[in-house]
Each structure stands twice: as C-alpha cells, then as structure tokens.
C-alpha cells in the first residue's frame, strides 16, 4: 500500500522562488521544534496559500512548506519558564509574541511560531488568516446552505405542482359530472315550469326573504369595503402618498408659471430685440442682445420639455415617477452655469444700452405689454436664478415623503446634491448683482429717468423720507414750523443716497418718483455737509432750536452755476445721525479716492486701478481670501470668502473704506466674530498703526516721487494743473462757523513736492522727519513754493475767499511763492501725502500748535492721523447706526468710552478729530431723547385703562390708526441681531428671538380678536356689518401703509370658522367683496410676495411690512448657503445678502408714525377677554350655520 504522496519538486521550487520575491509577507520567525523546549529561527515567506520556510534569508531551497487553506491562526500565551537562566533573558522571552497555526485536518500537528514584536505578530496572523481562505470557505458554506435550501424548495414546489395537477384533473372530472347533472335538471325543470310558476306567485313571503337577504349581503359587503378604504386612508403610507402627490401638483403649477415667464422673456423681449437689431437704424447690436439673453431660449426649450414630462406623469396618476425627468435635466445644468456666470455681465450690458434713448423707449414699450404685468426686463432675467433653489426645496420635500427603499430615492438624492452645488454658485452671483438690479429698479421708478443710475459702479447706500425746508433767502431760513401740516405735505421728499450722488424726489399719488427740477441730483463731490447749522443774527434761537436739532444742511457749489443750500429735516435724531454718518462716509470715500488718484498719478505715474493691481492682497485669491469680479464703491474687488483676520484688515485699511463693506460688516460681524475682537482691532490700529497695518499697504500709501521729479525737471509733467471732477468754488459760506461747519468737499488740485519716504527707517518717535529738498535740488523757481503760517486773526477771512485755498487745508496755512506772491490754483504746493493726511483727518478748519511743514511731512504723524480718523469713522458708524450693541453690552460701551477718552488725551489730536471724538462720546453717554418713540413695554401699561370702548362705538379710522400704531411699535422693537442665525426656527426660539416671537404673538392675537368680534354676533345682519367694518379698517390700514394689519384682518376673515358662513357672506355687499379681493391680491404670497414687494417699493415710509416675508427670505439664504466654507472662510457674499434684507427692514423701523395714542381704543384692541380660541370659534360657527346633510 502506498504511504507517500508524489509531488513535483520543480514546481515547488518555483513557488518558493516566487515567495522569496513577491510574497505577501516575509521575515524571520522562531519555529518550535519537535522537542518541547527548543525553538529554531527560520526565514518564512508567504505566497498565496503556501507558507515556505528557509534556513536563512539567502537560502535557495526551502526547508519546508505548509498549505494554509482551511487553517486557523490564534495567539497563544507565553509558555512557562524555568528559573534557570538570567532574569533578563526570561523577561525578554515573556515579551515575545506567540501564535499557533491550527490545520483543519487530522494528523497534522499545529505550527507554533513566535516573533520579537507584537505588531509584526499581528501582521503575520492577519496574512495567514487571509491565506487560509477562511472567509471564502464561510461564504462557500453559506452559499451551499442556500443552494440546499433552494433545492428543497424546488422539490417541494414540484410535489405541490403534482398535487395541484391531480386536483385539477379531479376537478375537471367533477365539473363534467356536474354539467351533466345540470343538463338533466334543466330538462326536469322545463317539464315542471308551469307548476313552479304557479307556486312562486302564490308565495310572496319567499320573495321578501330573498330580497332582505340580498340587501343584507350587499350592505355587509359595502360596509366591509368602506372599513378597508377608511383604514387605508388613515394609514401613514396613504398620508405620505397624499403629501407626495400634493408636492408634485404644486411643482407642476410652479413649473407652468416658470415656463410662462420664460415664454414672455423670449417672445416679448429677445425675439423683438433681435428684429430691432436687424433694422436700418438698430437701437441695439446683435452682440449686446446675445450678451443680455445668453442661453435664455435654450433654457425655455429645456423647461418646456421638462413641463411636458411632468404633465405626462400626471396622466399616470396615482403612480408618479419623477426621477427620470431629473435625470434628463441634470446633464443640461451647464446651460444654467453659463447663464449664472453671465448674469452680472448681462445686467451691465443692459444698463449701458439703456443710455441710448431709442433703446430705452423701445424697451419701455415692450414692458408696457399687459402680459408683463408691470414687471421689468431685469425681473425676467432674474427668474432663472431662483428656479434651481425651488427645485432643491421640492426635492427635499419629496425625499421627506419617499421611503428609503423606494426605487426613486437614490436618483432624487443625486439630483438634489447636483442642484445644491449649482445653487451655491448662484447665491454668490445673486449677491453680486443685487446692487445693479436695485439701481435699475430705482431708475425705472423715476419718471424722467436718471442717467447716473446706469453707472454700474454706483452703489446704493440708503433711502428714506426727509422733509425739505423751503429755500433760504440771503442765507436765512424762512419762518416755518416743524409741526406745520403744509410743510409736511409739500416738503416731504423721498431721498436716495448713492456712493457718488444724492437724489431728492417727490412721489406722486400713483407711486412714481419725480426728480426736483432744481437740486434733484446732487453730486457729492460738489457738496459740503453742515451737521450743526448756526444761528443767524435775526434768529438767536437758531434753526436747531426751531427744528429740535433734526435739520442738517447740504451746501452745493456747482462749477458752472451759483451755489445753493438744501436744508433737510429727519424724523428723529437717530435717523439724522444715520443719514449724517452715511453721507459723510460717502464724501470721505470720494475725497480719499480723489487724493489717492492724485498721489499715484502725480507721484509715481500709477493710476488707482493700477495701484490696486500692484497690491496682490486686494485682488488675488489666496488660501485665506477669495474675491468676486464685482467692484465695490471704492473700485476694489468685493470679497466673496475671507478669514476673519482678512476682513478686519480690510476694515482698517487706511487707503479706502467702502461704505457697503462697512454696513455689511457691522450688520453681520456677530456671526463670525465678537464685538470685543472688533474693538480690540480698532484699538490696536490706533495705538500701533505701524505694526498693525500690512507693510505693503504702507508702501503704497507713501508712493515714491522719483519719476515725478524727473518729469518736473524736464518740464513735461502733464498733471501739474489736474483737477478732480470739476471742483466747486473754494469760498465758504459766511454763515458757516469754522468750528461748527464741516467741510467735506474736494476742491483743490494738488502737486507732489516731497521726496521719497523710506518705511524701513520709520521711527516711533514723533520727531522723525522726512527728507526735504534744498532750493538747489528743487524744480525751477516758478514752480517752487514755501509753506508759511499766517496769523490766525488776519488770515481767517481772507483764507475763506482766497481762490488758492483748499478746504482740506488748515485755515491758518497759506501757500506763497518764494517771491512773496500768493500762488494761484494751478501751483498749489502742498504734497499729496500731506494733503491726504490733512484731508483724511478732516482738519479743514484748524491745526494744533506746532503743525508746520516738517510736521506735515512726518510720515509717522501722517499715518497716526489717518489711523485715528479711520478708527473714529468706524466708531461713529457703529455708535450712530448700531446703538443696540452698546445698550445690551455695558462692558463693550465702557471699553469704547475708555478708548475715546484715550484719543482725547492725544496731544497731536486735530480739532476736527477732537470734535468727532466728543460727539461719539456724547452719543454714547446720552439717552434717547425722542419722546415720540414708544416701546413695547408701554403697550402693556396701556391695558390699565379703567374703561374700554366697544366695537360698535369705535370708528374704522380710530381702529385702523391704533392698530397701525401698535403694529409699528412691536415691529420697531425687534433688534437686528435677532434676524441672524434663523433663531426663530430653533427649539429655544423664545430665548433667542423674544421680540420676533412677540411680533408673531401680537399678529395672532389681533387676528383672533377680529374673528372673535365677528362671531360674537348672533344675527346675520350684525355679522355682515362687522365684516364690512373690518374690511374698511383693513383698507384704511392699506392707506396708512400698514400691510401687516391688512394681513391680520384678511387672515381672520379667511379662517374656516368665518369663511364657511355662506349666509353671512351673502349679506355682505359687492363693493366690500371687491375691496376684499383687492386687499388679498396686494398681500398675496404668490411669487414670493411679488405684489407686496412692489407696493412697498412705491410707498414712502412710515410703513409696516409683513415680517414673515423677510423671515422667508432670510431662511432661504440661511438654508441655501453655509456661513463658512469647507476651508473655514467666512462666506461674505452671504453676509451681503443678509445685510441687504436687514437694511430694508431697518428702513421701515426707523421712520415712526405721527399718530396720537388713544388709551380706550388700545385697551379694546389688547383686551384678551374678548378673544375666543380656535376650537370654540369653529363650534360656534357650526351652531350658527350647521353643516348641510350629505
């Protein structure tokens, strides 16, 4: 009998060679010999499922091999040791890693191995486990079990099939037998029919019994079927399917409206403009048409196909499968991406084309088409930007009602993820083009048109209602009173502030705007702002006392006409401070931009855009910042994403400060940082400007003048007589005090005369000076100038009238030629850097002691004055427009006060800086003196009135006025920080947004009061009269611009408890019903409150908008884009969108109603005893008009 197994030794050696070269695991291991206590170190190599071991690493032939298939590997404890041998050796053996390989077949001894390190041992065990194919064997065993199970099922099915076949054969035999019996019975029945007929006619009780039995069987079947249907209707699956179907139906309706909008865009604008571009005198080029309407026609065709697919799905209802439609839509998203990227450019091209009067006239003709419903072309171009987010919301709702095992779920999730990627890009584009759309919307509201708004660099700042005092005569205000009714009606103006211009308009009854014929468009570069008008000799009390310090002046000095003064009154001190802050910041930006242009054009032959390009930190993307293509009001690219450090750096950049950036930052900084951090940065800029400002910014701040000196020597400088935007006359009005009036105009042409400034040698001491030119090294004698100090007593008046004096130069400084003659305007000798420092510091009317030419050229002094002005500028905005930050945070308020007091102790502080610091301190320390502003706490105290009026004794006017007053008080009390973070949708919403929740509660209480008052009447006529009266109240609220009150009343009338009272509504007059329809159309939520937004745009504040409209916008922004990118950068594009909405809300909050409170009416409106809960209202409604029987 054979006892050995033959094997191919050559094949084994070949496998051993492969194991040495390509083995999955190789290394030294100790192998236990046959003796119990002997271990031999061998070199092992594992290849596939064969383990070879060699005598050494260099051995060519294996000493043995093991087949590992089906084996198992487990760790074993270290064997016990005898006491023989050194203790160190025993410890070393105990620390080694032991494991054993157990083979699956009998007769094979286990293989005991050990290694020095535990990690190596684990790796060997893992490799041997994989080589044993244990997982495959287990899987094979599982499959075998399944196979056996399936075989058993097949056998069982075969047996069952045979049994059923036999049963069918038996049934066929039985059926044949029964058929033969039926035939026999039929024959018998035919013979017996006369007898049975006679018997049935004689037995009517049998008929009744059968009839009752038939009825009972039918009733039982119907009852059982009804129970089955009702159980399914109440099941969660049916509820989910109903909601899913409703979402699809809503989606089809929205898609139908969207396709109609695209149809109007293509057929009402694109195709007619293409034809116009092909005419003999084309008002527009084909290239411009393609740029404005890029991909619009393709998008329309795409959505027509998508819409047809949706309607085809409805034909297969209730089976609604949508995933394949989105699969068709997703590959076409690149069309939307091109449209989104081109959107900003298309609006810019449209704005440029509108400057052509023929095109503007033709476009207005197209927009007058009734199908446009008063919407502009910009509105239709914006609709595709909001369609992708609408799909995302729809898919989100669909997924919420789609089971996880549903066949469409993965496709819908994939479509949602792709649409969200595109939505993030679109949010940034919508934010960047918001300013262009705003300007074009205002331009369309102005009947005469306004060309300056077609400049895409013009940035909207704020708007509001101000009262214009009649024109001054000989520098004196006419005798008018603030409370004069004629002054309020005739002098009310709708004012718009932009970065370069100030518009003053009147509003007609139809909502259209008309520019004033004189002074309607004010160029801010020609304006001088006087914050505190002086008292004249004839009016010792002063206009400030007459107008309760609510007035301010804008002196306009056009270069080609006589100067004039515009006097405006603000509704409150708070709003006056906000207007003053914004106007002064805009003028400061224009002045700084102009002086920077002079510096860089005359000093180093670099224009402002080139200056921006020379600083890569202002336009080049980096790891901590990402820029948009859109420029802000300072011609600097807007920030899209940035770190907090870079945002603070932009806030404190001394070269420019964009007012739109400042407003956005102060509105939203609490999302990504704290007030303490912002204040610490401002304090650091003031105390250590050289170490806190980037070196590159300082280098560009002090541009060298080497090239300029060469040009001056050659006598070829083209910029010696440069003026900036037609400067106004340099004289100051005699009525303006040099201390109280603030000159903000930019009027002088400046020349560079100083040498290059080396930043590397800057010293922290105030005595460090820059190099000055000697007469020998200076330009020719006719261009040289010396700065002299004139006596203040004698130079004051003459300086005011001197044609060579710049308003940004100190009053006691005069420029003279070396020969002693006063220099003319074309040879003003102050250096650009000095002029920039003086102008930025607002040192227009005074200078500290020791302010001489050397001090002016001291770069440390210039930087410190500029840094101080920047800090004061930001703090002035912060305190005047965001006073709530300091009211709620006393520690922050004290830190600001300490910083301002430290600024006041600066010995080098200029007079204007000292005055600005004192004004900020005064604003922080004094309480709000506007007594006309009630607070929400005052509402509760009004309920203590002893006797309230009843509904019958109150007029509709009284109710509407007091509802408007209460609504505005509640609306105005909401602090802007509650609009951040979507806190009104959180679990702890009452703690995070208490005032928003109070506003919602007040809305519900007023709506409940209206419904309860109507249901309190028992007879039909009284209820109908109450409905008519409340509709009249709602219409008066509309006239008062209280659209929140309109919605309170209409929502009450649309409640099911009142809406179902058909007999009561039949008594209501047709005029009231028509008025009700008109009101509902105004405040309808259709198209994102399209009608309400248009109405608010055309009305003058004060007004009370519906807060839910803005909360929906904010929720849409919050859900669509994150606050931070994946890299941790702040999404500043999102901050701009949030800031835009908050600014619109605050515009309506700041303008108060001038309505006298009536405690008895307010007591009635706030009386909770009159309110009936919702369930009781419906029960009462059923008692008044019971349900009709089915």
């Amino acid at each position: 009998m054979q006892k050995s197994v033959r094997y191919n030794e050559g094949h084994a050696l070949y496998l051993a060679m492969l194991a040495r070269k390509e083995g999955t695991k190789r290394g030294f291991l100790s192998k236990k010999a046959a003796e119990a206590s002997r271990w031999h170190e061998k070199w092992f190599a594992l290849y596939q499922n064969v383990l070879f071991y060699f005598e050494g690493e260099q051995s060519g032939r294996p000493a043995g091999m093991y087949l590992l298939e089906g084996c198992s590997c487990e760790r074993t404890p270290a064997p016990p040791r005898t006491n023989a041998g050194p203790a160190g050796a025993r410890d070393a053996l105990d620390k080694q890693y032991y494991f054993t390989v157990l083979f699956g077949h009998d007769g094979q001894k286990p293989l005991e191995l050990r290694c020095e390190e535990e990690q190596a041992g684990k790796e060997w065990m893992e490799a041997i486990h994989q080589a044993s194919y244990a997982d495959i064997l287990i899987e094979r065993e599982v499959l075998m079990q399944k196979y056996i199970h399936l075989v058993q099922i097949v056998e069982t099915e075969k047996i069952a099939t045979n049994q059923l076949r036999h049963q069918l054969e038996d049934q066929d035999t039985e059926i044949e037998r029964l058929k033969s019996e039926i035939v026999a019975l039929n024959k018998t029945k035919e013979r017996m029919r006369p007898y049975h007929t006679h018997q049935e006619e004689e037995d009517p009780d049998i008929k009744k019994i059968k009839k009752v039995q038939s009825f009972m069987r039918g009733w039982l079947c119907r009852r059982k079927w009804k129970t089955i249907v009702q159980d399914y209707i109440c099941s969660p699956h049916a509820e989910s399917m109903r909601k899913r179907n409703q979402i699809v139906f809503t989606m089809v309706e929205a898609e139908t409206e969207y396709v109609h909008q695209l149809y109007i865009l293509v057929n009402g604008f694109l195709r007619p403009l293409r034809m116009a571009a092909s005419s003999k005198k084309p008002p527009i080029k084909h290239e411009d048409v393609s740029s404005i309407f890029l991909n619009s026609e393709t998008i329309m065709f795409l959505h027509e196909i998508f819409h047809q697919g949706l309607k085809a799905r409805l034909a297969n209802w209730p089976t609604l499968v949508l995933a394949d439609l989105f699969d068709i839509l997703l590959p076409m998203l690149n069309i939307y991406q091109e449209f989104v990227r081109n959107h900003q450019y298309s609006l810019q091209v449209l704005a440029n084309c509108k400057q052509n009067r023929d095109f503007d006239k033709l476009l207005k003709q197209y927009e007058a088409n009734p199908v446009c419903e008063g919407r502009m072309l910009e509105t239709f171009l914006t609709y595709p930007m909001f369609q992708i987010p609408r799909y995302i919301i729809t898919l989100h709702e669909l997924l919420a009602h789609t089971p996880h095992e549903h066949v469409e779920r993965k496709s819908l999730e994939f479509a949602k993820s792709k649409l969200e990627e595109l939505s993030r890009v679109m949010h940034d584009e919508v934010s960047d083009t918001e300013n262009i759309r705003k300007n074009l919307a205002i331009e369309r509201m102005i009947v005469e048109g306004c060309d300056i708004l077609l400049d895409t660099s013009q940035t909207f700042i704020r708007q509001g209602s101000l009262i214009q005092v009649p024109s001054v005569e000989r520098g004196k205000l006419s005798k008018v009173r603030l409370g004069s009714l004629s002054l309020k009606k005739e002098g009310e103006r709708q004012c718009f502030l932009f970065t370069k211009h100030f518009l003053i308009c009147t509003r007609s009854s139809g909502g259209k705007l008309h520019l004033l014929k004189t002074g309607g468009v004010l160029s801010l570069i020609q304006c001088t702002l006087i914050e505190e008008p002086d008292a004249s000799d004839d009016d010792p009390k002063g206009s400030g006392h007459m107008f309760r310090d609510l007035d301010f002046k804008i002196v306009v000095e056009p270069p080609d006409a006589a100067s004039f003064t515009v006097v405006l009154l603000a509704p409150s001190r708070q709003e006056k401070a906000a207007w003053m802050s914004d106007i002064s910041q805009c003028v400061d930006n224009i002045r700084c931009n102009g002086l920077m242009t002079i510096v860089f054009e005359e000093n180093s032959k670099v224009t402002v855009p080139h200056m921006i390009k020379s600083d890569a930190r202002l336009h080049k993307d980096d790891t901590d910042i990402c820029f948009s293509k859109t420029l802000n009001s300072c011609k600097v690219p807007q920030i899209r994403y940035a770190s907090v450090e870079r945002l603070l750096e932009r806030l404190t950049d001394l070269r420019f400060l964009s007012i739109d950036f400042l407003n956005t930052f102060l509105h939203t900084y609490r999302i990504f940082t704290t007030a303490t951090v912002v204040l610490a940065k401002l304090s650091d800029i003031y105390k250590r400007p050289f170490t806190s400002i980037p070196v590159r910014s300082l280098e560009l701040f002090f541009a060298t003048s080497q090239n300029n000196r060469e040009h001056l020597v050659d006598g070829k400088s083209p910029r010696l007589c440069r003026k900036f935007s037609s400067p106004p006359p340099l004289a100051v009005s005699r009525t303006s005090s040099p201390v109280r009036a603030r000159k903000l105009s930019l009027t002088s042409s400046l020349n560079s005369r100083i040498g290059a400034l080396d930043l590397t040698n800057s010293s922290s001491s105030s005595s460090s000076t820059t190099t000055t030119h000697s007469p020998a090294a200076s330009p020719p004698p006719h261009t040289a100038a010396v700065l002299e100090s004139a006596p203040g007593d004698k130079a004051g008046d003459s300086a005011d009238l001197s044609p060579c004096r710049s308003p940004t130069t100190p009053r006691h400084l005069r420029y003279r030629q070396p020969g002693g003659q006063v220099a003319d305007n074309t040879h003003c000798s102050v250096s650009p850097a000095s002029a920039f420092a003086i102008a930025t510091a607002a040192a227009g009317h005074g200078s500290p002691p020791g302010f001489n030419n050397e001090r002016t050229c001291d770069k440390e002094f210039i930087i410190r004055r500029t840094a101080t002005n920047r800090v004061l500028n930001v703090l002035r905005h912060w305190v005047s427009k965001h006073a709530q930050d300091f009211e709620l945070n006393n520690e922050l308020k004290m830190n600001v006060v300490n910083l301002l007091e430290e600024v006041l102790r600066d010995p080098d502080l200029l007079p204007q800086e000292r005055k600005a610091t004192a004004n900020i301190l005064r604003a922080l320390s004094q309480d709000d003196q506007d007594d006309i502003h009630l607070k929400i706490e005052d509402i509760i105290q009004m309920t203590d009135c002893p006797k309230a009026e009843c509904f019958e004794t109150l007029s509709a006017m009284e109710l509407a006025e007091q509802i408007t007053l209460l609504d505005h008080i509640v609306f105005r009390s909401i602090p802007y920080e509650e609009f951040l973070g979507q806190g009104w949708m959180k679990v702890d919403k009452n703690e995070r947004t208490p005032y928003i929740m109070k506003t919602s509660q007040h809305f519900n209480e007023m709506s409940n009061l209206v419904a309860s008052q109507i249901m309190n009447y028992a007879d039909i006529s009284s209820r109908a009269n109450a409905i008519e009266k409340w509709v009249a109240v709602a219409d008066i609220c509309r006239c008062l611009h209280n659209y929140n009150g309109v919605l309170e009343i209409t929502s009450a009338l649309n409640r099911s408890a009142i809406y179902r009272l058909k007999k009561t509504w039949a008594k209501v007059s047709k005029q009231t019903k028509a008025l009700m329809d008109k009101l509902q159309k105004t405040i309808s939520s259709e198209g994102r409150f399209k009608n309400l937004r248009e109405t608010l745009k055309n009305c003058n504040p004060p007004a009370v908008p519906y807060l839910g409209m803005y909360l929906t916008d904010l929720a849409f922004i919050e859900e669509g884009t994150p606050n931070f990118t994946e890299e941790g950068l702040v999404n500043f594009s999102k901050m701009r969108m949030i800031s835009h909405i908050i600014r619109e809300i605050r515009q309506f909050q700041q303008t108060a109603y001038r309505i006298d409170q009536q405690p008895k009416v307010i007591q009635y409106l706030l009386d909770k005893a009159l309110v009936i809960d919702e369930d009781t209202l419906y029960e009462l409604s059923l008692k008044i008009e019971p349900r009709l029987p089915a």
Side-chain angles (χ1 to χ4, degrees), residues 663 666-667 877-886 976 1146:
N663 286 330
L666 292 179
H667 274 136
H877 259 70
W878 199 355
V879 172
S880 62
K881 302 177 70 174
H882 305 273
Q884 293 173 341
D885 291 4
F886 305 95
Y976 75 92
R1146 298 190 71 187

Side-chain angles (χ1 to χ4, degrees), residues 493-531:
R493 303 287 184 261
Q494 189 71 10
C495 300
F496 299 88
L497 176 63
F498 297 86
T499 49
K500 299 178 183 177
H501 292 83
F502 186 78
L503 305 186
I504 304 177
C505 308
T506 59
R507 192 184 293 276
S508 62
S509 58
K512 290 293 184 179
L513 297 175
H514 297 271
L515 285 172
L516 296 182
K517 295 181 179 179
T518 303
V521 180
L522 306 181
S523 177
L524 293 180
I525 198 172
Q526 302 169 357
C527 294
T528 302
L529 179 65
I530 302 178
E531 298 186 16

Side-chain angles (χ1 to χ4, degrees), residues 500-501 521-529 554-560 563-564 587 590 724-729 743-747:
K500 299 178 183 177
H501 292 83
V521 180
L522 306 181
S523 177
L524 293 180
I525 198 172
Q526 302 169 357
C527 294
T528 302
L529 179 65
I554 299 178
V555 180
V556 186
E557 300 171 324
D560 53 355
S563 61
F564 59 93
V587 178
I590 294 177
F724 184 75
S725 299
S726 303
K743 264 295 204 176
L744 295 178
S745 61
L746 174 70
T747 58

